[in-house]
Amino acid sequence: MPAQMNLSIVVPLKNEAESLPELEAWIRRVAQQHGYTYEIIFIDDGSTDASWNTIGQLKAANPKVRAIKFRRNYGKSAALHVGFQAARGQVVITMDADLQDSPDEIPELYRMIVEDRFDLVSGWKKKRHDPLEKRLPSKLFNAVASRMSGIRLHDFNCGLKAYRLPVVKAVEVYGEMHRWIPVLAKWAGFTRIGEKAVDHQARKYGRSKFGWERYINGFLDLMSVYFVGKFGKRPMHFFGTLGVLSFLIGFGFLAYLSWEKLVYKEYGIADRPLFYFGILALIIGTQLFLTGFIAEIANRNSPGRNEYLIEQEI
Ligand code: UDP
Ligand code: MG
């Protein structure tokens, strides 16, 4: 059996034809300088420009180039997922295609995985060359994410990241979860997560493929990741606890009102605000509880209900 390839560089791209030749040449130069065995996997995420043609030419000149083309645009997460499945290198590095990430960072990222034994190293665009209206929300976004996930990273969404191969095979990126791969990795049990300040350039060609919705969607996704990671295999513990709590509060209010009504006969019940709070809390409690049951049933029928990542067996 041939020794395992050192590196897979996974590059998701949509309409980046101008950047691709420069990027490929740069990666090739770095890999040759350091004597890596490597592959570059381009995933064309439904480009409508000349990207696929360009990739064809690059492939003809350099057999280490591999490429997959989607029939339509599915998004960066989908592209990464397919790239991860195809990757064979001991270390997998993802990189944006727009030349904002520098291939010169590859050797140090590679070293951190192989020698420092990190499972995942995330780039950190410490000195960022993006407009202010992108940098500010991004700062807030990362602060909340770091707090919520307990992972001390400055830059979750950095496209430049390095992984040990088993990590990309274990973590399933879907929807727009590419922003949260470190969180997914942590939930999967890969806890050695590191960070490296990386060089960042302004976009040279074309324009960004994401708008401001990324921040709203990003937060919603973070909550989903958090919830699924914590309660995905036991949803009743979440819904049941809240449901019972709400039910008991409602029941308590109503019991108190009834008791008052019985002892001091002159009070009505239905004209008191507490009465409506009580009923509302009862109904919400019951609903939450039933949601828990439904989630348990959904979970029982999900193919992944008994999937665990086994690290070793002796
Ligand atoms: N990208 C992709 N599919 C999409 C949107 C973007 O593959 O639907 C690629 C894009 O071509 C680039 C990377 O994802 O290589 C990052 O996108 P972009 O540079 O637009 O994001 P930003 O730098 O603004 O965060
Ligand atoms: Mg970019």
Side-chain angles (χ1 to χ4, degrees):
M1 220 178 92
Q4 195 186 6
M5 179 186 288
N6 297 139
L7 262 177
S8 293
I9 313 285
V10 173
V11 184
L13 64 112
K14 180 187 164 199
N15 297 342
E16 311 278 7
E18 303 98 320
S19 310
L20 295 175
E22 266 173 71
L23 183 69
E24 189 273 335
W26 195 350
I27 294 174
R28 175 156 39 87
R29 195 171 70 232
V30 171
Q32 279 170 356
Q33 268 168 12
H34 289 79
Y36 297 134
T37 50
Y38 72 103
E39 61 184 358
I40 306 176
I41 306 177
F42 288 114
I43 295 94
D44 183 340
D45 182 14
S47 293
T48 49
D49 68 352
S51 292
W52 187 247
N53 261 335
T54 310
I55 291 171
Q57 288 159 15
L58 296 175
K59 162 106 198 157
N62 179 3
K64 299 209 165 24
V65 171
R66 296 168 67 197
I68 297 165
K69 178 173 164 54
F70 283 160
R71 192 167 285 283
R72 69 169 177 85
N73 175 243
Y74 285 104
K76 190 175 176 184
S77 287
L80 286 176
H81 175 71
V82 168
F84 284 166
Q85 288 196 315
R88 296 172 297 187
Q90 182 191 5
V91 174
V92 179
I93 295 185
T94 59
M95 184 176 283
D96 289 352
D98 55 2
L99 295 167
Q100 290 197 273
D101 301 328
S102 159
D104 286 332
E105 303 289 353
I106 292 174
E108 177 59 13
L109 288 170
Y110 178 79
R111 196 199 61 75
M112 287 175 80
I113 300 281
V114 174
E115 285 174 29
D116 298 345
R117 314 291 310 155
F118 281 108
D119 293 318
L120 186 168
V121 179
S122 180
W124 168 22
K125 297 167 294 221
K126 199 168 180 179
K127 199 166 173 339
R128 239 181 121 159
H129 297 270
D130 277 320
L132 189 71
E133 69 269 18
K134 194 162 153 187
R135 289 194 326 257
L136 268 187
S138 173
K139 257 213 151 77
L140 178 76
F141 183 80
N142 281 300
V144 175
S146 166
R147 168 89 11 138
M148 251 182 97
S149 65
I151 303 174
R152 296 278 158 253
L153 290 180
H154 291 89
D155 191 359
F156 280 81
N157 194 20
C158 186
L160 185 55
K161 287 191 174 63
Y163 309 85
R164 183 183 304 289
L165 187 64
V167 179
V168 304
K169 300 295 181 191
V171 164
E172 194 167 337
V173 208
Y174 61 95
E176 289 191 27
M177 293 298 179
H178 57 268
R179 300 190 183 96
W180 305 120
I181 300 179
V183 186
L184 295 173
K186 186 185 167 196
W187 283 118
F190 297 101
T191 48
R192 284 188 58 86
I193 297 176
E195 183 168 62
K196 174 182 188 312
V198 295
D199 194 33
H200 185 242
Q201 298 300 320
R203 211 179 219 284
K204 200 163 166 187
Y205 309 102
R207 53 192 198 85
S208 173
K209 310 294 184 292
F210 297 98
W212 56 270
E213 328 80 65
R214 74 165 98 195
Y215 300 107
I216 297 173
N217 296 340
F219 276 123
L220 295 175
D221 285 344
L222 177 61
M223 289 196 265
S224 305
V225 174
Y226 185 77
F227 178 80
V228 172
K230 204 167 165 79
F231 296 106
K233 291 208 186 290
R234 49 188 189 99
M236 192 52 164
H237 290 184
F238 176 78
F239 291 107
T241 309
L242 285 184
V244 167
L245 210 70
S246 177
F247 189 91
L248 285 180
I249 291 172
F251 189 84
F253 284 171
L254 293 181
Y256 165 74
L257 287 175
S258 308
W259 176 76
E260 270 206 345
K261 167 92 180 155
L262 287 176
V263 178
Y264 316 98
K265 302 223 172 349
E266 67 267 33
Y267 288 121
I269 283 189
D271 55 350
R272 303 183 62 185
L274 205 54
F275 175 70
Y276 295 97
F277 277 128
I279 292 185
L280 189 66
L282 270 187
I283 294 176
I284 291 178
T286 314
Q287 292 288 0
L288 281 172
F289 201 82
L290 293 179
T291 307
F293 271 132
I294 292 180
E296 285 291 340
I297 290 172
N299 193 32
R300 198 183 164 76
N301 291 301
S302 84
R305 69 186 172 276
N306 256 329
E307 262 169 28
Y308 313 104
L309 286 167
I310 291 167
E311 188 176 359
Q312 267 181 22
E313 214 178 301
I314 52 170

